[in-house]
Amino acid sequence: MNWPVEPSRPPELPGYAHVYSGKVRELYAPIDQRTGQASQDVLLLVATDRISAYDFILGSEIPDKGKVLTQLSLWWFDQLADIIPNHVISTQVPEAVTGRGVLVRRLDMVPVECIGRAYLTGSGLAEYRQASSVCGVPLPAGLTDGSLLPTPIFTPSTKAPIGEHDQPMTFAQVEAQIGMPIATRVRDLTIAILARGNEIAADRGILLADTKVEFGLDASRPDAEGNPAIVLADEVLTPDSSRFWPAATWAPGRAQDSYDKQFVRDWLTSPASGWDRSSGEAPPALPDDIIEATRLKYIEAFESLTGRTFA
Ligand code: Q0Z
C-alpha cells in the first residue's frame, strides 16, 4: 500500500488520545479524567472520508464516506446479532466525529484476517490459477473471474504490517497459530456472516463476493464453558471490507463492476486522468463530478441494503 500524497491528519479530540492511524480509519482511546491515563478497556474507532484505489490512498476524500460506512456497519451488527455479539458500546461520541465514530470494547484481537468468499476474484483467483486451490481448499477446474463458488470458502490470511501484503494461510496454519477450537469457530462464523450478508443483499440486487471480518476475545464476557467470548470487531460488511457487485451486471469471465468505486477506477485508468497505473506514481486528485458520483454510490449502497434514508 502506498501512502497518500498528503495524508489527512487525525483530528485532535479533547479527552481522547490518538493511538493509531489506519489506511482510512483512526483509533483513539478515551482518557480517564481522574488518572489522566488512556483507557485500557475502551477504544474510539473513527472512519474518515479517505478512499483507496489500485493500492493507493487517494489525495481526494469522498464527503460522508466515513459516516455512511459507519452507519452501514452498525446496521449489519444488528442484522448479525443472533449469530455473534459485537464490540459496540455506544455511538455517543465527540461532536467532531458524530456519525463516524463508535466507542467499542477493547478486545484481544484474533491475529488472523478472516476472509470468506462466495465468488472467485482478486487474490483468490490469482491463487486458484497458480494452484487450483485457495488457502489449501481444492476447487474444481473451469472457474473464472467472478465465478460463483460451489460452496462458500474460508480463505484466511496473515495480518501483515501496514504497507505489506497479507499472505494466504491454510486452515492448518490458523489452527497452529490460534488453536483448533477458536480456529473452527472463526471459520464457521466467517462463513455464517457471509451467508447472512448474501441472503440480505440478494433481496436488494446486490451480490456479496467476499468479505473480511475481524474477531476478538472478550475475557470479561465468558461463554457457557468459561472461555472468553468471541466477539465481532472492527467494521463489518462495508464496501471497504467486502466486494459488493451489482447483480444485474454480474457476468463471470471478466472483472466485475465495483458497486462503489467503479467511477474512480474508470476515471483513473482513462486518458482524462493522465495517470499511468504501472508508473508507480501516486494517482492525481479526482475531479469534483467523480467525487460526487462516488459519494452517491456509497449512499445508494447504504440505502439499498438497509432500506433506510441516509440523513
Ligand atoms: C482494530 C483499526 C484503525 C480502526 C485494533 N475492539 C477492538 N479491540 C482492540 N483492537 C481493535 C478493536 Cl476494533 C482494533 N484495529 C484496526 C485501525 C482504525 C480500526 F486505525 N486495530
Side-chain angles (χ1 to χ4, degrees):
M1 175 65 74
N2 300 284
W3 279 111
V5 200
E6 284 179 64
S8 64
R9 296 190 166 281
E12 292 231 11
L13 300 176
Y16 291 81
H18 180 253
V19 295
Y20 186 75
S21 286
K23 284 174 271 186
V24 302
R25 292 173 305 155
E26 303 290 346
L27 211 49
Y28 298 78
I31 297 166
D32 188 295
Q33 288 315 299
R34 286 178 203 283
T35 65
Q37 297 298 297
S39 169
Q40 297 298 300
D41 313 317
V42 179
L43 292 169
L44 172 65
L45 226 76
V46 177
T48 72
D49 292 338
R50 297 195 291 264
I51 182 172
S52 68
Y54 298 120
D55 246 12
F56 286 88
I57 307 289
L58 303 185
S60 306
E61 299 194 339
I62 307 298
D64 293 329
K65 172 175 178 274
K67 285 188 182 178
V68 175
L69 268 56
T70 297
Q71 296 310 303
L72 182 58
S73 191
L74 288 168
W75 182 82
W76 278 119
F77 279 133
D78 283 347
Q79 306 305 307
L80 299 167
D82 62 316
I83 297 176
I84 183 169
N86 62 68
H87 68 161
V88 174
I89 297 171
S90 168
T91 55
Q92 289 191 227
V93 295
E95 192 158 284
V97 295
T98 301
R100 66 178 68 244
V102 182
L103 285 165
V104 303
R105 232 171 284 279
R106 185 175 185 156
L107 307 169
D108 296 318
M109 299 301 286
V110 173
V112 171
E113 300 282 11
C114 291
I115 299 165
R117 299 177 191 266
Y119 295 78
L120 189 62
T121 192
S123 64
L125 175 66
E127 202 181 329
Y128 169 76
R129 285 177 171 163
Q130 297 269 320
S132 302
S133 65
V134 186
C135 297
V137 181
L139 292 174
L143 300 178
T144 182
D145 196 350
S147 287
L148 175 65
L149 292 166
T151 184
I153 57 173
F154 180 58
T155 61
S157 69
T158 59
K159 275 191 185 179
I162 201 161
E164 289 167 44
H165 280 108
D166 296 342
Q167 297 298 320
M169 299 172 82
T170 64
F171 186 71
Q173 288 171 319
V174 177
E175 268 188 1
Q177 187 162 349
I178 64 177
M180 182 171 69
I182 295 173
T184 304
R185 284 284 289 142
V186 298
R187 177 195 64 197
D188 294 350
L189 285 165
T190 300
I191 297 300
I193 291 164
L194 177 69
R196 175 67 59 81
N198 257 313
E199 281 166 24
I200 292 174
D203 297 340
R204 280 76 165 177
I206 295 172
L207 305 177
L208 175 59
D210 51 39
T211 192
K212 184 188 84 174
V213 285
E214 302 248 15
F215 298 100
L217 303 181
D218 189 350
S220 77
R221 257 162 118 170
D223 68 12
E225 286 91 59
N227 301 307
I230 298 181
V231 176
L232 185 55
D234 217 327
E235 61 175 352
V236 65
L237 295 172
T238 71
D240 278 2
S241 68
S242 316
R243 284 189 180 89
F244 291 103
W245 294 337
T249 58
W250 173 63
R254 55 156 175 83
Q256 307 303 302
D257 293 336
S258 159
Y259 195 96
D260 51 311
K261 286 181 187 166
Q262 201 57 43
F263 294 121
V264 171
R265 291 184 181 164
D266 288 351
W267 183 80
L268 284 175
T269 54
S270 78
S273 77
W275 181 62
D276 176 9
R277 196 184 157 185
S278 62
S279 68
E281 304 269 307
L286 301 173
D288 287 352
D289 61 326
I290 300 298
I291 291 175
E292 183 56 15
T294 302
R295 175 181 172 273
L296 292 174
K297 289 306 287 186
Y298 283 110
I299 292 172
E300 182 188 292
F302 171 87
E303 294 189 339
S304 309
L305 286 166
T306 68
R308 293 186 186 169
T309 303
F310 177 71

